[in-house]
DNA sequence: AATTGTATCAACCGCCTGAGA
DNA sequence: TTCTCAGGCGGTTGATACAAT
């Protein structure tokens, strides 16, 4: 049985943001008496807070030694260097940066440095380059340029990206699972959506299916701005998040990256997975995914329901 | 101007560690 | 050696500010 947190001793203790009055009381008390016992401090100082809360408020905010303002380039470089050898040991990193707290450094890492790393294609955990899914995307994209050579069916009535994109997803699922998957079918992908940066006027309305489609001659993949895969309850091992645009390195979520060495091997070796045929009418009951959208970009929605309805009407 | 999405960071939670009885 | 406890730590959350639509 674990030890209960000190703050659970009394439900009457105040939580949440500190008021200026509380700050004054705590600051005044510590400057006068010090903080030999955090547990006893709030009672002695007349604060209705737990000792931990007082300690945190002092260490992270009230302590006059704290340096305020933006991190300098030197500080940032030092954090990166220390993190590469220490990992997420924020307090040890903070001990090397006078005036900076572990909490401040941790927040700065998570909101600034981590993003810089990912943008540069570097894994912030390992400080090493991450596998480049762009190679995969590029290869798939190039396949669209000569559809006669495609090893799978591309119905002419649909925008080419729908089929290729579903094929891409299928192969990602295959990689992640490391097991043979059944063919992609209507029930595999419940809702297929894709983001495009491409302006409205570049999209063509195909009245036969009442959908906006891309010009098949276009290199449509370069307009894809965001792809997020989210597993539904019946998925067994898929949790993938892919973000980026054509030509960029693409961020892999930790869970996705953790899905197995097969991913690393695949992309490091610049190999493509085997493409699977798409066979309408077959059904599967797992590996259901949704593809979410980025609100900033133009959303084009061509669901697989439309897809199969359209080809069944031909 | 209103609404919605995103970024930031203060604060909390709960586990870990080490000192002392 | 074992147990208890305070302080420390890292992960996470949620309120708020800001930006975009």
């Amino acid at each position: 049985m674990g030890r209960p947190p000190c703050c659970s001793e009394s439900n009457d203790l105040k939580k949440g943001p500190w008021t200026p009055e509380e700050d004054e009381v705590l600051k005044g008390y510590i400057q006068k008496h010090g903080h030999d016992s955090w547990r006893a401090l709030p009672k002695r100082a007349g604060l209705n807070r737990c000792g931990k809360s007082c300690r945190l408020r002092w260490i992270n905010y009230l302590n006059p030694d704290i340096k305020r303002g933006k991190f300098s380039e030197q500080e940032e470089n030092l954090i990166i260097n220390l993190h590469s050898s220490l990992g997420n040991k924020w307090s040890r990193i903070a001990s090397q940066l006078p005036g900076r707290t572990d909490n401040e450094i941790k927040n700065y890492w998570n909101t600034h440095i981590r993003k810089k790393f990912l943008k540069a294609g570097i894994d912030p955990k390992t400080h090493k380059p991450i596998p480049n899914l762009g190679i995969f995307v590029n290869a798939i994209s190039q396949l669209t340029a000569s559809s006669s050579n495609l090893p799978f069916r591309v119905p002419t009535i649909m925008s080419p990206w729908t089929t290729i994109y579903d094929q891409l997803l299928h192969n990602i699922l295959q990689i992640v699972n490391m097991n043979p998957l059944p063919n992609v079918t209507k029930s595999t992908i419940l809702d297929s959506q894709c983001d495009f940066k491409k302006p409205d006027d570049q999209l063509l309305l195909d009245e036969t299916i009442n959908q906006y489609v891309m010009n098949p001659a276009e290199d449509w993949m370069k307009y894809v701005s965001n792809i997020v895969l989210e597993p539904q309850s019946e998925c067994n091992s898929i949790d993938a998040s892919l973000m980026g645009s054509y030509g960029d390195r693409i961020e892999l979520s930790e869970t996705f990256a953790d899905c197995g060495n097969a991913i690393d091997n695949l992309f490091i070796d610049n190999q493509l997975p085997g493409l699977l045929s798409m066979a309408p009418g077959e059904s599967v009951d797992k590996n259901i995914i949704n593809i979410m959208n980025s609100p900033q970009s133009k959303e084009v929605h061509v669901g697989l329901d439309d897809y199969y309805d359209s080809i069944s009407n031909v």
Side-chain angles (χ1 to χ4, degrees):
Chain A
M1 196 173 73
R3 191 172 154 253
C6 74
C7 300
S8 68
E9 286 169 5
S10 168
N11 293 329
D12 299 333
L13 292 177
K14 193 183 169 194
K15 289 183 182 178
W18 282 64
T19 64
E21 291 76 24
E22 287 176 311
D23 282 346
E24 275 310 304
V25 171
L26 180 61
K27 204 172 174 181
Y29 181 88
I30 290 175
Q31 284 174 344
K32 203 170 178 183
H33 303 98
H35 52 76
D36 56 319
S37 169
W38 287 111
R39 193 178 179 83
L41 187 146
K43 205 172 183 182
R44 290 179 188 159
L47 285 162
N48 190 30
R49 295 269 183 176
C50 83
K52 270 190 171 186
S53 182
C54 294
R55 175 185 161 271
L56 217 63
R57 186 61 178 171
W58 174 258
I59 288 174
N60 288 331
Y61 193 79
L62 295 176
N63 188 339
D65 296 336
I66 292 172
K67 193 195 283 184
R68 296 273 164 207
K70 282 193 165 185
F71 281 78
S72 68
E73 204 177 321
Q74 288 85 349
E75 284 178 311
E76 187 175 313
N77 290 336
L78 184 54
I79 292 169
I80 292 168
N81 284 334
L82 290 167
H83 187 273
S84 69
S85 55
L86 298 173
N88 292 1
K89 300 292 177 191
W90 305 117
S91 61
R92 287 188 65 187
I93 293 172
S95 68
Q96 304 297 312
L97 284 100
R100 300 295 188 181
T101 68
D102 55 354
N103 208 34
E104 197 178 9
I105 292 169
K106 179 172 60 184
N107 283 332
Y108 188 70
W109 177 272
N110 287 327
T111 56
H112 292 91
I113 302 178
R114 191 173 171 276
K115 284 178 189 170
K116 276 191 187 178
F117 268 56
L118 292 171
K119 213 170 183 180
I122 298 168
D123 185 339
K125 267 189 173 175
T126 63
H127 294 241
K128 291 176 181 171
I130 58 176
N132 189 354
L133 189 57
I135 293 165
F136 182 31
V137 172
N138 187 27
I140 292 289
S141 176
Q142 285 173 5
L143 285 173
T144 66
S146 54
S147 61
S148 61
N149 296 330
L150 290 177
F152 47 86
R153 182 178 179 182
V154 182
T156 53
I157 194 166
M158 284 301 295
S159 61
W161 66 264
T162 302
T163 303
I164 307 295
Y165 185 62
D166 289 340
Q167 192 69 54
L168 171 63
L169 294 177
H170 187 122
N171 283 285
I172 291 170
L173 294 177
Q174 186 185 27
I175 299 156
V176 172
N177 268 326
M178 294 189 293
N179 289 320
L181 285 175
N183 288 338
V184 173
T185 70
K186 185 175 180 175
S187 59
T188 305
I189 301 174
L190 291 182
D191 193 23
S192 176
Q193 298 184 27
C194 190
D195 289 345
F196 283 87
K197 292 174 181 171
K198 201 168 168 80
D200 285 356
D201 56 10
Q202 298 288 322
L203 294 167
L204 310 170
L205 177 64
D206 185 336
E207 292 180 354
T208 60
I209 56 171
N210 198 29
Q211 295 282 350
Y212 283 95
V213 300
M214 299 289 290
N215 182 342
E218 285 278 344
D219 183 6
W220 53 271
M221 251 306 188
K222 68 186 174 189
Y223 298 114
V224 174
S225 62
N226 187 25
I227 306 170
V228 177
L229 312 181
E230 286 201 346
Q232 300 293 308
S233 57
E234 288 178 79
C235 281
N236 46 15
S237 64
I238 302 165
D239 186 354
S241 174
L242 316 179
M243 295 179 68
S245 55
Y246 176 69
D248 286 344
R249 286 177 179 275
I250 295 181
E251 172 187 349
L252 299 180
S253 74
E254 286 167 18
T255 33
F256 188 32
D258 285 341
C259 280
N261 293 332
I263 295 170
D264 290 344
N265 295 338
L266 177 77
F267 297 124
I268 288 170
D269 296 338
N270 297 349
Q271 292 170 347
L272 281 172
L275 293 168
L276 299 174
S277 63
M278 295 182 69
E282 294 181 29
S283 64
V284 292
D285 60 1
K286 57 181 182 178
N287 302 318
I288 299 166
I289 61 169
N290 275 336
I291 304 159
M292 312 302 285
N293 295 296
S294 163
Q296 278 110 347
S297 52
K298 169 66 185 171
E299 174 186 309
V300 180
H301 182 170
V302 182
L304 282 194
D305 282 342
D306 304 318
Y307 169 87
Y308 286 106
D309 288 345
S310 66
I311 59 176
S312 65
N313 292 333
V314 174

